[in-house]
Amino acid sequence: MEYTQEQIHEIVSAQREFFRTGETLDVKWRIRQLKKLKQAVIDNAEMLQNALYEDLGKSPTEAYLCDIGPVIVEINEILRGLKRWAKPEKHYSGLMCFPSISTTVYKMPYGVSLIISPFNFPVLLTLGVLAASISGGNTAVIKASSKSAASTRALQKLIAGIFPAEYVTLIDGGHDVADMCLTERFDKIFYTGSPAVARHIMEAASRHLTSVALELGGETGNWCVIRKDANLKDAARKIVFIKLCNAGQICININQIAVAREIAEEFLTLLKEEFIRQIGDHPENNPEYPRLITDAVYDKCVRLTEQYSERVVFGGTGNKEACRFAPTVIYPICAEEEIVLHELFCPILPVVPFDDEAIHKLTDMIAEREHPLAMYVFTSDMKWAKAFMSTQQYGGGCINEVCIHMMVKGVPFNGTGHSGMGAYHGEWGFREFTHLQTVLKGRTHFNLPLREHPYSGSTGKKKMALLKLFEK
């Protein structure tokens, strides 16, 4: 459908009018909407799987594992905790406020939210964020990706089937439609995508001082560090899994590996063997292997492979017609080369050797670059690993594992700096889509003149003595 600015304005206005009715403030009402959403996902799982295959070539299992199933898990977590999270908090006001001793903190929705979702996990990163918005009591306009057109159509049908447009509506279209949305005044914007677009969104949001949450891949990509004492077979197995998943088109994927020079050749051998074990000799011809979203991404893979052709140690082949490109390992790469200075978002995997005894040089270099969304380390030295992971700045990560930190219940998923701001999942999503209002209940009797003039003379001295007493 072609949209005009007037139509977008009407959608936002209708949602603002509906929000002002106060219907979304009722937590029980929100729970009913979440249950509708969950049931719709279950009932339409096959439609969503088919759409994900059409857009990204995801097999039914991968589609459910990475896109559909996690939405159901997310909604279940919200349903279990929402009443508790949304309950107003009671606080003792303190002696400074006497005799008004009771203060309440209300968790209020922002109002009309705008969710701009990406192509790579179009179901999870649309409906998962929508669930958070609903939990907070907001209405939602969703601008889904035009690149994953089949998934956008499926989501549009699913949402229109359970929610009125004045509550939740999904619109399609390209950047022009997104810009029309950004022209409107929203109360909360949640964007998932690239840092470059995030800057544009923040600039637009600043005109209305709109609260923004960003989930970004990071300007210079996510690092995986493999020390010489790591279990290399285990590391190779897990790294191959995440690099094959969605053909590398994941914001928390490994952008580059830093491997100790002492064990680099052994690790590369195990890595190649593991790729073959999991996906076969020619993944570009394997229908189970996801495809790239556009020809432009495929062409980028070809260009990088040709640029570093002398250092391609695995892969480097593609199927243009199917838009599949094999996972491609490039070694050795210097940490200062262009290929590791930007997020790749594809199946290309540069490998950077380092001297294990000089690990501090590597970690200092990583710290100097833009903060990644994910950080992974493989080592048997838990003292070093914990020290490293607790002093670096990044969104989230794993020790001797990859990516599944985002599946843990009760913890936030977020980025920092160039990898984002804000957080969601479970209670953290509820917090992201609510703002806190502090209300003190005043008393009409026994009010002390402490705060009132005069502040000088003997009266002022008495008041000063009382103020210092109350501070204790």
Side-chain angles (χ1 to χ4, degrees), residues 127-319:
L127 299 186
V129 180
L130 174 61
S133 176
I134 290 173
S135 76
N138 305 274
T139 68
V141 176
I142 303 168
K143 165 58 185 74
S145 176
S146 58
K147 292 180 179 178
S148 49
S151 296
T152 294
R153 289 193 299 270
L155 289 167
Q156 207 165 29
K157 181 178 178 181
L158 182 151
I159 287 170
I162 54 174
F163 298 131
E166 63 268 22
Y167 177 45
V168 180
T169 189
L170 187 147
I171 60 178
D172 54 15
H175 295 305
D176 57 332
V177 176
D179 283 340
M180 290 181 198
C181 291
L182 291 169
T183 300
E184 298 296 321
R185 182 183 182 277
F186 284 90
D187 303 302
K188 181 72 179 183
I189 298 175
F190 194 109
Y191 167 73
T192 305
S194 70
V197 177
R199 294 186 186 94
H200 174 64
I201 287 170
M202 289 192 72
E203 183 179 0
S206 70
R207 291 195 288 269
H208 301 294
L209 298 180
T210 300
S211 172
V212 177
L214 306 172
E215 294 295 342
L216 315 173
E219 197 81 38
T220 51
N222 307 316
W223 283 88
C224 175
V225 178
I226 303 177
R227 302 291 305 272
K228 69 179 183 180
D229 59 1
N231 183 325
L232 300 184
K233 189 175 180 65
D234 179 69
R237 179 181 181 181
K238 291 170 178 174
I239 289 167
V240 166
F241 155 72
I242 192 174
K243 205 62 187 177
L244 291 177
C245 187
N246 210 28
Q249 299 166 113
I250 309 177
C251 58
I252 57 170
N253 211 326
I254 296 168
N255 201 68
Q256 55 269 324
I257 297 174
V259 60
R261 200 181 308 274
E262 296 89 331
I263 46 88
E265 293 297 336
E266 181 184 358
F267 169 73
L268 288 171
T269 298
L270 291 168
L271 192 68
K272 297 172 195 176
E273 291 174 354
E274 197 59 38
F275 271 121
I276 294 170
R277 185 185 75 83
Q278 291 192 32
I279 201 68
D281 288 312
H282 296 285
E284 68 274 16
N285 298 324
N286 188 332
E288 205 173 88
Y289 180 52
R291 58 174 163 264
L292 301 172
I293 191 66
T294 63
D295 289 340
V297 181
Y298 182 91
D299 293 341
K300 179 178 75 172
C301 293
V302 172
R303 184 177 68 254
L304 288 171
T305 301
E306 290 176 348
Q307 182 180 348
Y308 294 92
S309 59
E310 295 181 356
R311 288 179 276 175
V312 172
V313 296
F314 183 81
T317 55
N319 182 331

Side-chain angles (χ1 to χ4, degrees), residues 357-393:
E357 63 181 12
I359 182 65
H360 63 282
K361 292 183 180 179
L362 174 72
T363 57
D364 287 347
M365 179 272 295
I366 293 173
E368 288 171 0
R369 296 189 177 177
E370 300 300 346
H371 306 323
L373 182 59
M375 184 78 75
Y376 307 110
V377 297
F378 286 87
T379 180
S380 60
D381 186 347
M382 287 301 104
K383 183 179 179 181
W384 174 84
K386 290 177 181 178
F388 173 70
M389 297 297 275
S390 63
T391 54
Q392 290 283 327
Q393 290 178 290

Side-chain angles (χ1 to χ4, degrees), residues 13-32:
S13 296
Q15 290 209 358
R16 193 170 302 284
E17 184 177 347
F18 177 72
F19 176 75
R20 286 174 177 161
T21 66
E23 193 161 359
T24 69
L25 298 181
D26 182 4
V27 175
K28 292 181 180 178
W29 187 87
R30 298 182 212 174
I31 288 172
R32 289 197 295 273

